[in-house]
Each structure stands twice: as structure tokens, then as C-alpha cells.
Amino acid sequence: MASLPCIPLLAAIGISLGGCASAPSIPGISGEPLFYKKLDASSAKVDAAAARDMISIYRRKSGYSTLTIDPVLQKAAEEQALAMARADRMSHDVRGSLRSRLDGRLDHSAAVENISAGYHTLAEAFSGWRDSPSHNKNMLNPAMRRMGIATAYAPGSKYKVYWALVLTD
């Protein structure tokens, strides 16, 4: 009987697979899984598709719909992460309220945002958000359907890597 391969994505969201020794090999893809990629470099960017998949699997486990990446929300997340990095502070309001940043850019009736700083990988940021009641509530908000996620690296700053996740209906 063949053993199941270890699936780091599922482990990252709290699903345990006992007896796993290594990450699965995916044809055509080499290196470490994208959610463990270090993002503490100027050229490093979070992989939005990997983030969408990670959060969507977590949402499905709780009975909620999967998410799609929205280009407007992606841009909003990028702008927010960059603004926090430039200001060297983590704040929802560094560029104005979420409402003011989204109004007029896309149709939505509900929007939420998770921000963080200091996490160097997607897995770390996701775990931090999952373990925070208010951030977890945002990720599991049943009304949310679209997302954008981004990081910004500021080598001379306190936290180095700043994160923004924007979700709307």
C-alpha cells in the first residue's frame, strides 16, 4: 500500500496528515512550495494564486465559497502594502479608510481587510491571520467572493515585510 504524500498546503491550514516525510513533487515545478517562499527581498512578491488557493481551501473546509482574484483588489492590496512599508508602520488607515480606497473603483456592498507585518512567508501570514479572531472572521466571512493580496519589502524598516489582503463580495 502506497503512503500518502505530505501536502504542505493542507498542513498549513491545520489539516494533519500523519506519517508524511516530504512535500509532494509536482511535475514541471521545482523548489519549495510557494507558500514557504521567503518574501524578504525587493524583488519578492506573494503569489496571489497560491494565496487564493490556500484561503479558498480553508474557506471550503468551513463550508464557504472559494475566492477569485480581482485585479482592482489586487492593485488596492499592492498600494496598501507599499504605503505601509514606506511609512514603516502597519495601519489600515495609512492611505485612508478601506471604504475610501475602494469606493468608485469597483462595485461591492461589503469589504474587509487583513493587514500584517513581519511575516516572511505566505504560510506565516496565513497562520497569523487564522489565529487572530478578527482576521480569521474576515477570511471566513461568507459574503466574500473576491480578493487581492500583496506584500511590500522595506529592508530598513522595523518589520521588513508588510502584508495586505483585501476581500469583497
Side-chain angles (χ1 to χ4, degrees), residues 74-88:
Q74 189 62 32
K75 181 75 171 158
E78 290 167 2
E79 291 168 351
Q80 180 66 10
L82 186 59
M84 290 188 300
R86 286 181 176 155
D88 193 12

Side-chain angles (χ1 to χ4, degrees), residues 91-102:
S91 169
H92 287 282
D93 298 322
V94 73
R95 294 183 44 253
S97 70
L98 178 60
R99 176 181 280 285
S100 71
R101 288 184 274 129
L102 294 182

Side-chain angles (χ1 to χ4, degrees), residues 61-138:
K61 179 181 172 202
S62 297
Y64 303 121
S65 66
T66 59
L67 300 170
T68 60
I69 298 170
D70 182 285
V72 173
L73 296 177
Q74 189 62 32
K75 181 75 171 158
E78 290 167 2
E79 291 168 351
Q80 180 66 10
L82 186 59
M84 290 188 300
R86 286 181 176 155
D88 193 12
R89 70 184 175 100
M90 188 176 60
S91 169
H92 287 282
D93 298 322
V94 73
R95 294 183 44 253
S97 70
L98 178 60
R99 176 181 280 285
S100 71
R101 288 184 274 129
L102 294 182
D103 281 354
R105 293 177 80 174
L106 78 161
D107 289 333
H108 70 283
S109 59
V112 295
E113 176 178 62
N114 285 358
I115 60 170
S116 59
Y119 297 121
H120 289 217
T121 68
L122 173 57
E124 290 172 359
F126 173 83
S127 293
W129 289 333
R130 185 192 61 209
D131 293 341
S132 161
S134 61
H135 292 104
N136 191 53
K137 181 179 176 182
N138 287 344

